[in-house]
Amino acid sequence: MALCLMAISLTLAGVNAHGSMVMPLARNSIDAETPAWSGGKHPPTGTIEPYDCHCTNGTDLCNNGQSCFWFSNGCTPGCKACDGNGNRYPNFDHCPDEQKGLKPSDMLLKEYWTGDPTWKQGTTADIFKFNPWRAPGKAPVFDSCGMAGGRWTEAFNAAAYNTTVFAKIGDLGTEVLNPRPTGTIWTRGSTAKTRWQLTANHGGGYIYRLCPADQVLNEDCFQKTELQWGTQTHVLRFANASQDMVINATDVTRGGGIGWRLNPFPNVRTDPCDYNVTLHDGPGHHCAWISCPGCGPPLYAADASCPDVCSKHYPGTPDGRKPVLPFPDPVHGMDTHLFSVEDTVVVPEDLVPGEYVLGWRWDCEHSSQAVSYTHLTLPTKRIV
């Protein structure tokens, strides 16, 4: 995901893997200006698997609209483009016939995995090897401000977007979302606070970047100004400030992705794989997963991406035994909707005064999603 800031005065926008930037607010939260999402309301998005972006922004109102539905689906590092396929098949290379051009120095070291560390790296059991976090920043995105719904049509696994006056599913953020000046001013050489909300945990990690608002908002621009961290901690901000807590952060300091920060909440499942019921079991067979309106008749929308224990369908993959956490859970299973994650970033001293877009990019490990929020706008060209 990426967000946009200015200089310093800011506006924001985003791309998600079902998470969103909540401070400063991204331009992707524009639906909060419509009656349905105003005042912190979060009605369900989608009809197949209704989902929403409800969130907590500390003691402030969390008014983020459908911002957690702006992301890129089907993205493998080194591919020329994402393909929109969000099915979580194990060892799913989204461009198997392409030369990816990745160098060993691009690849994440195993010590920074957010999945089960007992899986032998590079083997069939290492089912996430082609997902974005394994080479941070090297996976393509549809757009640095995200695609509404992460693909062109609604699909199982919460790829959806409710049409509003501002956007429809398949729209690109840089093409349809206007800047939303936040009034935020950052000072060169100082530190600044940001917050993000974890809606659905797909592991991986993230980074904040800046792009001048008068330049093309793409990955080439954002990657030129990656922000450093001001502290080695996160602050979890609850609606009741007396519950706020400080937890340790883990930053990548070796191998690929230096400067990126791990999602601090481990998430491992006994059934992390999808399989295509119709393809493998034949016509007339359907996914037993019927916990969403579109999963049963007449759509059977989960048939191509039915969640199950991996080894039941893919030899050599995890067999459903209780997985091992890569690191301790700092909130012991607490619902991540109850707080936002506050980070401190360093505002570069050598920035030219002006307007910037702040990007929050989250590369997932447990899915093929990449999130890229954009827009912080500096209302004036002054530095304070």
Side-chain angles (χ1 to χ4, degrees):
M1 292 194 175
L3 284 163
C4 303
L5 279 178
M6 278 194 88
I8 312 216
S9 191
L10 312 169
T11 75
L12 296 143
V15 178
N16 85 334
H18 298 114
S20 55
M21 181 85 159
V22 297
M23 189 187 83
L25 274 176
R27 65 174 65 179
N28 307 73
S29 63
I30 187 65
D31 291 329
E33 296 184 7
T34 67
W37 282 272
S38 65
K41 296 193 293 289
H42 295 93
T45 290
T47 58
I48 292 175
E49 188 182 16
Y51 205 63
D52 64 66
C53 300
H54 73 277
C55 57
T56 301
N57 186 19
T59 58
D60 297 328
L61 182 69
C62 200
N63 212 20
N64 67 338
Q66 294 185 94
S67 61
C68 75
F69 290 94
W70 290 86
F71 61 102
S72 298
N73 243 338
C75 312
T76 288
C79 287
K80 295 176 182 177
C82 304
D83 64 12
N85 189 338
N87 295 332
R88 296 165 195 171
Y89 303 142
N91 302 296
F92 190 178
D93 183 348
H94 291 262
C95 63
D97 298 325
E98 292 182 13
Q99 293 293 323
K100 297 182 175 58
L102 296 172
K103 303 184 294 293
S105 59
D106 295 328
M107 308 309 293
L108 188 79
L109 297 180
K110 187 174 182 179
E111 64 192 81
Y112 300 114
W113 281 16
T114 57
D116 190 329
T118 66
W119 299 346
K120 187 174 180 180
Q121 189 169 11
T123 67
T124 302
D126 180 13
I127 61 174
F128 299 145
K129 65 171 70 72
F130 294 112
N131 289 343
W133 180 238
R134 292 302 185 87
K138 301 302 181 181
V141 293
F142 284 127
D143 187 271
S144 287
C145 289
M147 174 186 277
R151 49 177 286 130
W152 304 273
T153 56
E154 186 176 352
F156 183 62
N157 284 327
Y161 195 84
N162 289 359
T163 298
T164 69
V165 296
F166 299 109
K168 64 183 182 305
I169 193 167
D171 281 347
L172 300 179
T174 59
E175 295 181 359
V176 302
L177 297 176
N178 293 322
R180 296 185 72 204
T182 63
T184 302
I185 296 177
W186 283 5
T187 303
R188 293 179 299 169
S190 67
T191 59
K193 305 293 186 183
T194 59
R195 291 179 190 167
W196 59 278
Q197 168 78 44
L198 182 60
T199 305
N201 193 351
H202 302 312
Y206 62 97
I207 197 168
Y208 291 96
R209 304 94 53 86
L210 289 174
C211 175
D214 61 356
Q215 295 187 21
V216 176
L217 301 178
N218 58 25
E219 291 304 291
D220 286 343
C221 183
F222 281 112
Q223 289 174 5
K224 291 176 182 176
T225 310
E226 296 183 337
L227 301 183
Q228 297 181 355
W229 305 105
T231 68
Q232 293 301 305
T233 57
H234 311 274
V235 181
L236 307 186
R237 297 294 187 185
F238 292 78
N240 180 349
S242 67
Q243 296 179 276
D244 289 356
M245 66 174 70
V246 178
I247 63 173
N248 290 329
T250 300
D251 301 333
V252 178
T253 59
R254 304 189 313 122
I258 290 175
W260 287 62
R261 174 163 283 188
L262 269 67
N263 171 353
F265 310 108
N267 177 43
V268 291
R269 294 169 45 182
T270 58
D271 60 348
C273 294
D274 290 348
Y275 84 106
N276 190 318
V277 177
T278 305
L279 178 65
H280 290 279
D281 299 341
H285 291 82
H286 300 292
C287 182
W289 186 279
I290 56 173
S291 58
C292 71
C295 293
L299 295 178
Y300 296 108
D303 281 7
S305 50
C306 189
D308 207 347
V309 174
C310 301
S311 62
K312 289 174 62 176
H313 311 282
Y314 307 98
T317 59
D319 61 8
R321 286 178 290 186
K322 185 177 180 179
V324 176
L325 289 176
F327 45 82
D329 183 355
V331 296
H332 307 290
M334 184 184 298
D335 183 358
T336 58
H337 294 87
L338 296 176
F339 55 82
S340 56
V341 181
E342 183 175 284
D343 291 304
T344 301
V345 295
V346 176
V347 185
E349 193 167 4
D350 59 355
L351 282 179
V352 176
E355 297 190 352
Y356 289 79
V357 172
L358 171 68
W360 175 58
R361 173 157 170 167
W362 171 20
D363 278 10
C364 298
E365 184 171 24
H366 304 170
S367 71
S368 61
Q369 296 171 334
V371 179
S372 217
Y373 277 114
T374 345
H375 274 87
L376 281 175
T377 292
L378 297 178
T380 67
K381 292 192 181 262
R382 63 190 174 91
I383 300 292
V384 296

PDB file of all heavy atoms in Angstrom, residues 29-30 42 46 73 79 131 140 157 208 218 222 227 268 283-284 295 298 311 318 330 345 357 376:
ATOM      1  N   SER A  29      -9.652   6.670   1.332  1.00  0.00           N
ATOM      2  CA  SER A  29     -10.761   6.694   2.294  1.00  0.00           C
ATOM      3  C   SER A  29     -11.869   7.651   1.865  1.00  0.00           C
ATOM      4  O   SER A  29     -12.765   7.954   2.651  1.00  0.00           O
ATOM      5  CB  SER A  29     -10.237   7.097   3.675  1.00  0.00           C
ATOM      6  OG  SER A  29      -9.710   8.425   3.646  1.00  0.00           O
ATOM      7  N   ILE A  30     -11.848   8.100   0.607  1.00  0.00           N
ATOM      8  CA  ILE A  30     -12.764   9.120   0.112  1.00  0.00           C
ATOM      9  C   ILE A  30     -14.231   8.760   0.317  1.00  0.00           C
ATOM     10  O   ILE A  30     -15.087   9.636   0.474  1.00  0.00           O
ATOM     11  CB  ILE A  30     -12.484   9.390  -1.393  1.00  0.00           C
ATOM     12  CG1 ILE A  30     -13.303  10.568  -1.914  1.00  0.00           C
ATOM     13  CG2 ILE A  30     -12.723   8.127  -2.214  1.00  0.00           C
ATOM     14  CD1 ILE A  30     -12.952  11.887  -1.293  1.00  0.00           C
ATOM     15  N   HIS A  42     -19.122   1.620   8.687  1.00  0.00           N
ATOM     16  CA  HIS A  42     -18.460   0.662   7.799  1.00  0.00           C
ATOM     17  C   HIS A  42     -19.452  -0.420   7.372  1.00  0.00           C
ATOM     18  O   HIS A  42     -19.392  -1.560   7.857  1.00  0.00           O
ATOM     19  CB  HIS A  42     -17.246   0.019   8.480  1.00  0.00           C
ATOM     20  CG  HIS A  42     -16.152   0.979   8.778  1.00  0.00           C
ATOM     21  ND1 HIS A  42     -16.036   1.635   9.988  1.00  0.00           N
ATOM     22  CD2 HIS A  42     -15.131   1.430   8.003  1.00  0.00           C
ATOM     23  CE1 HIS A  42     -14.978   2.433   9.949  1.00  0.00           C
ATOM     24  NE2 HIS A  42     -14.414   2.320   8.770  1.00  0.00           N
ATOM     25  N   GLY A  46     -19.113  -5.794  -0.861  1.00  0.00           N
ATOM     26  CA  GLY A  46     -19.184  -7.047  -1.599  1.00  0.00           C
ATOM     27  C   GLY A  46     -20.436  -7.838  -1.314  1.00  0.00           C
ATOM     28  O   GLY A  46     -21.129  -7.612  -0.302  1.00  0.00           O
ATOM     29  N   ASN A  73      -3.817  -7.794  -6.446  1.00  0.00           N
ATOM     30  CA  ASN A  73      -3.910  -9.237  -6.254  1.00  0.00           C
ATOM     31  C   ASN A  73      -3.065  -9.965  -7.304  1.00  0.00           C
ATOM     32  O   ASN A  73      -2.964  -9.530  -8.447  1.00  0.00           O
ATOM     33  CB  ASN A  73      -5.366  -9.681  -6.422  1.00  0.00           C
ATOM     34  CG  ASN A  73      -5.947 -10.279  -5.152  1.00  0.00           C
ATOM     35  OD1 ASN A  73      -5.228 -10.736  -4.273  1.00  0.00           O
ATOM     36  ND2 ASN A  73      -7.274 -10.268  -5.053  1.00  0.00           N
ATOM     37  N   CYS A  79       7.820 -10.422 -11.533  1.00  0.00           N
ATOM     38  CA  CYS A  79       6.873 -10.482 -12.661  1.00  0.00           C
ATOM     39  C   CYS A  79       6.714  -9.090 -13.270  1.00  0.00           C
ATOM     40  O   CYS A  79       6.901  -8.074 -12.598  1.00  0.00           O
ATOM     41  CB  CYS A  79       5.510 -10.984 -12.198  1.00  0.00           C
ATOM     42  SG  CYS A  79       5.433 -12.737 -11.802  1.00  0.00           S
ATOM     43  N   ASN A 131       5.388 -15.236  -2.987  1.00  0.00           N
ATOM     44  CA  ASN A 131       4.575 -14.093  -2.562  1.00  0.00           C
ATOM     45  C   ASN A 131       5.433 -12.850  -2.304  1.00  0.00           C
ATOM     46  O   ASN A 131       6.650 -12.939  -2.112  1.00  0.00           O
ATOM     47  CB  ASN A 131       3.756 -14.474  -1.333  1.00  0.00           C
ATOM     48  CG  ASN A 131       2.641 -15.441  -1.670  1.00  0.00           C
ATOM     49  OD1 ASN A 131       2.263 -15.593  -2.833  1.00  0.00           O
ATOM     50  ND2 ASN A 131       2.085 -16.099  -0.656  1.00  0.00           N
ATOM     51  N   PRO A 140       5.365  -6.461  -8.636  1.00  0.00           N
ATOM     52  CA  PRO A 140       4.650  -5.368  -9.296  1.00  0.00           C
ATOM     53  C   PRO A 140       3.374  -5.027  -8.530  1.00  0.00           C
ATOM     54  O   PRO A 140       2.947  -5.789  -7.648  1.00  0.00           O
ATOM     55  CB  PRO A 140       4.308  -5.957 -10.667  1.00  0.00           C
ATOM     56  CG  PRO A 140       4.165  -7.430 -10.395  1.00  0.00           C
ATOM     57  CD  PRO A 140       5.206  -7.749  -9.335  1.00  0.00           C
ATOM     58  N   ASN A 157     -12.455 -14.513  -1.252  1.00  0.00           N
ATOM     59  CA  ASN A 157     -11.290 -13.973  -0.554  1.00  0.00           C
ATOM     60  C   ASN A 157     -11.340 -12.449  -0.489  1.00  0.00           C
ATOM     61  O   ASN A 157     -10.311 -11.774  -0.494  1.00  0.00           O
ATOM     62  CB  ASN A 157      -9.965 -14.439  -1.163  1.00  0.00           C
ATOM     63  CG  ASN A 157      -9.631 -15.881  -0.791  1.00  0.00           C
ATOM     64  OD1 ASN A 157      -9.975 -16.324   0.307  1.00  0.00           O
ATOM     65  ND2 ASN A 157      -8.978 -16.607  -1.684  1.00  0.00           N
ATOM     66  N   TYR A 208       7.309   3.021   4.485  1.00  0.00           N
ATOM     67  CA  TYR A 208       6.732   4.302   4.054  1.00  0.00           C
ATOM     68  C   TYR A 208       7.688   4.963   3.067  1.00  0.00           C
ATOM     69  O   TYR A 208       8.900   4.936   3.259  1.00  0.00           O
ATOM     70  CB  TYR A 208       6.516   5.232   5.249  1.00  0.00           C
ATOM     71  CG  TYR A 208       5.417   4.775   6.188  1.00  0.00           C
ATOM     72  CD1 TYR A 208       5.716   4.031   7.328  1.00  0.00           C
ATOM     73  CD2 TYR A 208       4.085   5.098   5.939  1.00  0.00           C
ATOM     74  CE1 TYR A 208       4.720   3.606   8.198  1.00  0.00           C
ATOM     75  CE2 TYR A 208       3.076   4.679   6.805  1.00  0.00           C
ATOM     76  CZ  TYR A 208       3.404   3.936   7.930  1.00  0.00           C
ATOM     77  OH  TYR A 208       2.417   3.518   8.784  1.00  0.00           O
ATOM     78  N   ASN A 218       4.348   6.577  -9.194  1.00  0.00           N
ATOM     79  CA  ASN A 218       4.601   5.174  -9.513  1.00  0.00           C
ATOM     80  C   ASN A 218       5.711   4.645  -8.613  1.00  0.00           C
ATOM     81  O   ASN A 218       6.295   5.378  -7.799  1.00  0.00           O
ATOM     82  CB  ASN A 218       4.941   5.003 -10.994  1.00  0.00           C
ATOM     83  CG  ASN A 218       6.152   5.822 -11.425  1.00  0.00           C
ATOM     84  OD1 ASN A 218       7.024   6.150 -10.618  1.00  0.00           O
ATOM     85  ND2 ASN A 218       6.222   6.147 -12.708  1.00  0.00           N
ATOM     86  N   PHE A 222       8.392   6.474  -5.803  1.00  0.00           N
ATOM     87  CA  PHE A 222       8.332   6.202  -4.367  1.00  0.00           C
ATOM     88  C   PHE A 222       9.606   5.541  -3.854  1.00  0.00           C
ATOM     89  O   PHE A 222      10.050   5.812  -2.739  1.00  0.00           O
ATOM     90  CB  PHE A 222       7.125   5.320  -4.046  1.00  0.00           C
ATOM     91  CG  PHE A 222       5.819   6.066  -3.996  1.00  0.00           C
ATOM     92  CD1 PHE A 222       4.848   5.848  -4.948  1.00  0.00           C
ATOM     93  CD2 PHE A 222       5.569   6.996  -3.001  1.00  0.00           C
ATOM     94  CE1 PHE A 222       3.643   6.531  -4.906  1.00  0.00           C
ATOM     95  CE2 PHE A 222       4.383   7.692  -2.949  1.00  0.00           C
ATOM     96  CZ  PHE A 222       3.405   7.461  -3.911  1.00  0.00           C
ATOM     97  N   LEU A 227      11.515   6.075   3.705  1.00  0.00           N
ATOM     98  CA  LEU A 227      11.730   6.719   5.000  1.00  0.00           C
ATOM     99  C   LEU A 227      12.343   5.756   6.016  1.00  0.00           C
ATOM    100  O   LEU A 227      12.014   4.570   6.044  1.00  0.00           O
ATOM    101  CB  LEU A 227      10.407   7.265   5.537  1.00  0.00           C
ATOM    102  CG  LEU A 227       9.711   8.300   4.646  1.00  0.00           C
ATOM    103  CD1 LEU A 227       8.448   8.834   5.324  1.00  0.00           C
ATOM    104  CD2 LEU A 227      10.646   9.450   4.288  1.00  0.00           C
ATOM    105  N   VAL A 268      -0.530 -17.879  11.690  1.00  0.00           N
ATOM    106  CA  VAL A 268      -0.337 -19.144  10.993  1.00  0.00           C
ATOM    107  C   VAL A 268      -1.631 -19.946  11.098  1.00  0.00           C
ATOM    108  O   VAL A 268      -2.350 -19.866  12.090  1.00  0.00           O
ATOM    109  CB  VAL A 268       0.845 -19.954  11.577  1.00  0.00           C
ATOM    110  CG1 VAL A 268       2.162 -19.265  11.277  1.00  0.00           C
ATOM    111  CG2 VAL A 268       0.689 -20.138  13.084  1.00  0.00           C
ATOM    112  N   PRO A 283     -16.825 -31.874 -12.198  1.00  0.00           N
ATOM    113  CA  PRO A 283     -18.091 -31.131 -12.185  1.00  0.00           C
ATOM    114  C   PRO A 283     -19.068 -31.728 -11.170  1.00  0.00           C
ATOM    115  O   PRO A 283     -19.101 -32.939 -10.948  1.00  0.00           O
ATOM    116  CB  PRO A 283     -18.609 -31.293 -13.621  1.00  0.00           C
ATOM    117  CG  PRO A 283     -17.394 -31.613 -14.436  1.00  0.00           C
ATOM    118  CD  PRO A 283     -16.507 -32.413 -13.525  1.00  0.00           C
ATOM    119  N   GLY A 284     -19.848 -30.849 -10.575  1.00  0.00           N
ATOM    120  CA  GLY A 284     -20.837 -31.292  -9.595  1.00  0.00           C
ATOM    121  C   GLY A 284     -20.332 -31.312  -8.177  1.00  0.00           C
ATOM    122  O   GLY A 284     -21.125 -31.449  -7.236  1.00  0.00           O
ATOM    123  N   CYS A 295     -20.887 -18.442  -1.321  1.00  0.00           N
ATOM    124  CA  CYS A 295     -20.163 -19.714  -1.379  1.00  0.00           C
ATOM    125  C   CYS A 295     -21.064 -20.880  -1.764  1.00  0.00           C
ATOM    126  O   CYS A 295     -20.598 -21.875  -2.318  1.00  0.00           O
ATOM    127  CB  CYS A 295     -19.503 -19.999  -0.038  1.00  0.00           C
ATOM    128  SG  CYS A 295     -18.170 -18.856   0.395  1.00  0.00           S
ATOM    129  N   PRO A 298     -26.559 -20.034  -5.826  1.00  0.00           N
ATOM    130  CA  PRO A 298     -26.207 -20.603  -7.137  1.00  0.00           C
ATOM    131  C   PRO A 298     -24.778 -20.276  -7.576  1.00  0.00           C
ATOM    132  O   PRO A 298     -24.330 -20.776  -8.600  1.00  0.00           O
ATOM    133  CB  PRO A 298     -27.208 -19.910  -8.063  1.00  0.00           C
ATOM    134  CG  PRO A 298     -27.363 -18.550  -7.451  1.00  0.00           C
ATOM    135  CD  PRO A 298     -27.301 -18.764  -5.957  1.00  0.00           C
ATOM    136  N   SER A 311      -1.834 -30.490   2.371  1.00  0.00           N
ATOM    137  CA  SER A 311      -1.360 -31.802   1.938  1.00  0.00           C
ATOM    138  C   SER A 311      -2.479 -32.709   1.432  1.00  0.00           C
ATOM    139  O   SER A 311      -2.209 -33.721   0.777  1.00  0.00           O
ATOM    140  CB  SER A 311      -0.615 -32.498   3.074  1.00  0.00           C
ATOM    141  OG  SER A 311      -1.485 -32.720   4.178  1.00  0.00           O
ATOM    142  N   PRO A 318       2.407 -28.481   3.763  1.00  0.00           N
ATOM    143  CA  PRO A 318       2.051 -28.643   5.187  1.00  0.00           C
ATOM    144  C   PRO A 318       0.814 -29.513   5.394  1.00  0.00           C
ATOM    145  O   PRO A 318      -0.152 -29.443   4.644  1.00  0.00           O
ATOM    146  CB  PRO A 318       1.816 -27.200   5.631  1.00  0.00           C
ATOM    147  CG  PRO A 318       2.733 -26.396   4.757  1.00  0.00           C
ATOM    148  CD  PRO A 318       2.677 -27.079   3.415  1.00  0.00           C
ATOM    149  N   PRO A 330       2.597 -10.365  20.295  1.00  0.00           N
ATOM    150  CA  PRO A 330       2.664  -9.358  21.356  1.00  0.00           C
ATOM    151  C   PRO A 330       1.308  -9.018  21.957  1.00  0.00           C
ATOM    152  O   PRO A 330       1.245  -8.413  23.037  1.00  0.00           O
ATOM    153  CB  PRO A 330       3.271  -8.142  20.644  1.00  0.00           C
ATOM    154  CG  PRO A 330       2.870  -8.316  19.219  1.00  0.00           C
ATOM    155  CD  PRO A 330       2.908  -9.803  18.972  1.00  0.00           C
ATOM    156  N   VAL A 345       8.459   7.938  11.928  1.00  0.00           N
ATOM    157  CA  VAL A 345       9.349   7.955  10.769  1.00  0.00           C
ATOM    158  C   VAL A 345      10.183   9.234  10.789  1.00  0.00           C
ATOM    159  O   VAL A 345       9.796  10.252  11.382  1.00  0.00           O
ATOM    160  CB  VAL A 345       8.563   7.870   9.441  1.00  0.00           C
ATOM    161  CG1 VAL A 345       7.866   6.530   9.341  1.00  0.00           C
ATOM    162  CG2 VAL A 345       7.560   9.013   9.308  1.00  0.00           C
ATOM    163  N   VAL A 357       3.473  13.073  -1.801  1.00  0.00           N
ATOM    164  CA  VAL A 357       2.554  11.979  -1.525  1.00  0.00           C
ATOM    165  C   VAL A 357       3.292  10.970  -0.655  1.00  0.00           C
ATOM    166  O   VAL A 357       4.419  10.591  -0.960  1.00  0.00           O
ATOM    167  CB  VAL A 357       2.077  11.319  -2.826  1.00  0.00           C
ATOM    168  CG1 VAL A 357       1.288  10.053  -2.518  1.00  0.00           C
ATOM    169  CG2 VAL A 357       1.231  12.277  -3.632  1.00  0.00           C
ATOM    170  N   LEU A 376      -0.310  12.204   0.886  1.00  0.00           N
ATOM    171  CA  LEU A 376      -0.208  13.267   1.874  1.00  0.00           C
ATOM    172  C   LEU A 376       0.054  14.519   1.065  1.00  0.00           C
ATOM    173  O   LEU A 376       0.961  14.536   0.270  1.00  0.00           O
ATOM    174  CB  LEU A 376       0.981  13.055   2.775  1.00  0.00           C
ATOM    175  CG  LEU A 376       0.816  12.050   3.890  1.00  0.00           C
ATOM    176  CD1 LEU A 376       2.113  11.877   4.600  1.00  0.00           C
ATOM    177  CD2 LEU A 376      -0.263  12.479   4.813  1.00  0.00           C
TER     178      LEU A 376
END
